């Protein structure tokens, strides 16, 4: 472990990529310690001693202090490095927080969880709780309506809300969610991917 | 609707009580509009027009702007009214955020959800997903270990993390979670209830 930011993350996890993208946008130097969820590397005694919740992402700061929870980490990094990814105006800031909590409660729990079952655990549709599809579709509909009026989720520039929400939304097809009925979401994904310097996830390879 | 803070909440919901307690601590004037989840008052066309997620708490500010998600609302109220419930030091602030996101992902989804099934929907233990008990016990163990070393979750005074986490932890028995094996949690609940001016939830009436 070096005396700079250490990010323990799994590259297949949108939650972990949020932290990578935010660190990259802020121009931070860090070490990425690949930590496989599927191989239970987050459940070893060593990992649990660092983060008893046994989850990635987990970061270890230069002074050894540990911080977990993807959205807490990106808020922290943005604050410490004076990023402009969280509006200072209280109501706009409140709306970013609203999206971040909604993401963890109502979006990740359907879109990311269904992707995990389908794409990584290779379950058939019949083996996956049908409520996940229903809940995910409701989440996408809410986002589509919110994005009809603006380029970003809050205000007219990229915020942590976009970084957080795009992580699993851009991979929704891997969970069996077709984004074709959601044109505002697709435009927003392309915009945020451009801002983050990412290759498009919704490409022809999707049909391959 | 008056031109001051309107809180749409259900008094049986810990998520809603977080907002009430924070508003009370900050000395705010507000109207509480009781909105029953069980009677689907959060699913009316009028309510969905205000908050398309169909959830309480939802607040309408004096200027008509709407904000949802319990933890986002308490962060907003604390910021606007210069409350001292969120540390300014970045790492301590990050830890409060970590607890707030963990609460919504790993605690509320077990402790509050099991309470809802058992206490309000009156399901028998056999009808409730057994994973909820397991997940809730893991959450309580994590809190117990965190509270062994300190009076509060972050630092030596009350923060939004305590307000958020105490909401359902103090009612855990209604979900079938016995707090007897968690002495540090019980001491912390008593302390936070005192700070918030609440009657103890874990009283002899529990056995009645």
């Amino acid at each position: 472990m070096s005396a700079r930011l250490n990010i323990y993350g799994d590259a297949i996890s949108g939650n972990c990529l949020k932290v990578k993208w935010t660190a990259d946008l802020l121009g931070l130097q860090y070490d990425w310690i690949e930590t496989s969820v599927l191989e239970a590397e987050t459940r070893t005694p060593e990992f649990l001693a660092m983060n008893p919740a046994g989850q990635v992402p987990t970061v270890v700061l230069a002074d050894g202090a540990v911080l977990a929870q993807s959205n807490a980490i990106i808020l922290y990094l943005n604050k410490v490095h004076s990023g402009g990814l969280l509006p200072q105006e209280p109501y706009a800031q409140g709306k970013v927080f609203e999206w971040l909590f909604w993401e963890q409660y109502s979006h990740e729990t359907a879109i990311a969880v269904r992707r995990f079952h389908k794409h990584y655990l290779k379950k058939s549709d019949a083996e996956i709780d049908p409520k996940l599809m229903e809940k995910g579709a409701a989440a996408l509909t809410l986002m589509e309506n919110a994005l009809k009026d603006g380029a970003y989720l809050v205000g007219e520039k990229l915020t942590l809300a976009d970084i957080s929400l795009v992580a699993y939304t851009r991979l929704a097809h891997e969970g069996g969610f077709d984004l074709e009925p959601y044109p505002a979401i697709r435009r927003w994904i392309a915009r945020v991917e451009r801002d983050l310097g990412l290759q498009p996830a919704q490409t022809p390879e999707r049909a391959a």
Side-chain angles (χ1 to χ4, degrees), chain A residues 7 11 27 42 101 103 106 171 181-182 208:
Chain A
I7 303 175
T42 57
F101 287 105
E103 189 260 345
S106 299
L171 303 175
Y182 306 102

Side-chain angles (χ1 to χ4, degrees), chain A residues 141-152 181-185 187:
Chain A
T141 300
L142 189 146
M143 287 182 71
E144 178 71 13
N145 289 330
L147 287 165
K148 270 177 187 157
D149 297 327
Y152 295 98
Y182 306 102
I185 290 180
R187 284 192 298 271

Side-chain angles (χ1 to χ4, degrees), chain A residues 119-166:
Chain A
H119 195 68
Y120 291 101
L121 301 183
K122 308 288 183 196
K123 290 187 187 172
S124 70
D125 284 356
E127 293 172 292
I128 301 174
D129 182 351
K131 282 186 196 144
L132 292 179
M133 181 57 87
E134 190 184 328
K135 185 178 179 182
L140 292 171
T141 300
L142 189 146
M143 287 182 71
E144 178 71 13
N145 289 330
L147 287 165
K148 270 177 187 157
D149 297 327
Y152 295 98
L153 288 168
V154 179
E156 291 306 311
K157 60 193 279 277
L158 184 81
T159 69
L160 296 176
D162 303 294
I163 294 174
S164 182
L165 262 307
V166 90

Side-chain angles (χ1 to χ4, degrees), chain A residues 15-192:
Chain A
N15 283 329
C16 297
L17 293 175
K18 294 175 196 174
V19 175
K20 175 177 169 33
W21 298 333
T22 302
D24 288 343
L25 268 183
L26 296 171
L28 306 187
Q29 299 264 310
Y30 60 86
D31 291 309
W32 177 276
I33 300 102
E34 184 70 16
T35 308
S36 168
V37 173
L38 284 167
E39 294 178 23
E41 291 177 357
T42 57
R43 298 284 163 177
T44 63
E46 295 74 22
F47 192 91
L48 291 171
M50 179 171 70
N51 177 6
Q55 295 168 330
V56 280
T58 297
V59 298
V60 180
L61 309 178
D63 66 359
V66 178
L67 192 63
Q69 295 291 324
S70 59
N71 289 341
I73 296 169
I74 62 178
L75 282 161
Y76 169 82
L77 293 178
N78 182 67
K79 180 175 175 74
V80 169
H81 299 284
S82 305
L85 300 167
L86 180 69
Q88 287 308 302
E89 191 278 310
Y91 182 68
Q93 185 172 113
K95 292 302 279 187
V96 171
F97 286 134
E98 179 183 322
W99 281 113
L100 294 180
F101 287 105
W102 179 83
E103 189 260 345
Q104 285 289 288
Y105 198 82
S106 299
H107 182 284
E108 200 263 15
T109 47
I111 308 279
V113 169
R114 197 173 197 285
R115 170 179 176 256
F116 191 73
H117 286 292
K118 187 178 176 72
H119 195 68
Y120 291 101
L121 301 183
K122 308 288 183 196
K123 290 187 187 172
S124 70
D125 284 356
E127 293 172 292
I128 301 174
D129 182 351
K131 282 186 196 144
L132 292 179
M133 181 57 87
E134 190 184 328
K135 185 178 179 182
L140 292 171
T141 300
L142 189 146
M143 287 182 71
E144 178 71 13
N145 289 330
L147 287 165
K148 270 177 187 157
D149 297 327
Y152 295 98
L153 288 168
V154 179
E156 291 306 311
K157 60 193 279 277
L158 184 81
T159 69
L160 296 176
D162 303 294
I163 294 174
S164 182
L165 262 307
V166 90
Y168 288 107
T169 307
R170 69 195 282 268
L171 303 175
H173 56 283
E174 294 182 357
F177 297 96
D178 182 3
L179 293 185
E180 202 283 329
Y182 306 102
I185 290 180
R186 286 186 280 113
R187 284 192 298 271
W188 166 81
I189 288 173
R191 189 176 297 122
V192 177

